[in-house]
Amino acid sequence: MEFQERSIAEDYEHIVQNRRPLIIDCDTGTDDAIMLIAAAGCGVFDIRAVTSAVGNVSQENTSKNNLDIAEYLGWDVPVARGAYKTMYAGKRTLSTVHGATGLGDVTIPGAKRMQFEEERAPEVIYRIAKEEEGNLELLVTGPMTNIAIALLLYPDLKDLIKRITFMGGAMEGGNVVPHAEFNIWFDPVAANIVFTSGIPLLMIGLDVTERASLIDDDRKKFMSFNTRAGDLAANLLAFMLKREDNGLESAYMHDGLALAACADPLCVTTKKAHIRVEVLNDALSGKTYVELDPKDESKVNAQVAVDLYFHRFRVWLHEAVARIRNDVQVAAKYDLR
Ligand code: RIB
Ligand code: CA
């Protein structure tokens, strides 16, 4: 077959024409929000829906954040509300790392035109999984409650999901507690249902996300785009950097890296693994146990990211945010002047 020399524009068009169907389930907090901006711009996915989990803040707040961000970006994506409680019966407190609303000190206009889907997250996930006939992927960047509910409601869903890429867990250590990462810790029961579902998994854990930290130069880069999307990403990052100055969590792009790894596999290197989560021993609940390259191949239930190509990721994120250049059309379309 003669190689067709394609221009960059033709390459990008080819990508857009071959977008992969994806649903994003997130507990929109600050790094989820930057991930959503990049997801809207990257052009790799046909994003069928954004669904909200309880985690960083309440489901009411994560849902509102998802809807407001979508309208603010002029992003016509269905937004559905998820569970307001997790499956875990133990004591868990909402984090304060993302501020009261989840978007730190950043405020954007409340959505006026877009509305939530009538269906709740589990129904949306199942309906679209059937429509996409096994090609649907999920990107999960919060606790896995909605996915687990969907799996318990619909026995055939596990055969309809091509892969779940999730930000969560760690091979070693934790963040919210020494032994566990927040997303898994917040609902270990749900994580266990997903980990044992048989759906192919790509785990993006703290081992790589805590090496995906942005700095003020990245905030300036986002500002340099002179776009609504770039300014929003810059303001969210500014909050995260202020938080870091106060000795709190750094500006880790936990969820942005999960998106990038889902879109561009060369952003990380992975190994086959068996992963499981501690549920019964409350003192360690939420801890993830990762056995890399198990001798017994039949135990493999995930690919786990063991390294990242930070600069590839950083450029990918910048470009994805920069791509939402159609602000004028957006403003005109939604009269967002
Ligand atoms: O542990 C990091 C994860 O917890 C990220 O997804 C962050 O948004 C919070 O949900
Ligand atoms: Ca998150």
Side-chain angles (χ1 to χ4, degrees), residues 124-141:
V124 167
I125 291 165
Y126 183 55
R127 171 173 56 78
I128 294 173
K130 284 191 292 181
E131 289 169 6
E132 294 294 348
E133 298 175 332
N135 292 310
L136 179 67
E137 296 178 57
L138 303 183
L139 172 64
V140 183
T141 65

Side-chain angles (χ1 to χ4, degrees), residues 2 31 113 115 123 128 154 170 181 203 206 212 224 227 259 270 287 294 306 326 333 335:
E2 193 196 321
D31 63 319
R113 293 159 196 78
Q115 300 199 334
E123 288 95 335
I128 294 173
Y154 308 108
E181 176 279 325
M203 172 175 157
L206 294 178
S224 72
T227 62
L259 168 72
T270 64
K287 178 178 174 60
V306 295
N326 61 344
K333 184 175 176 186
D335 188 25

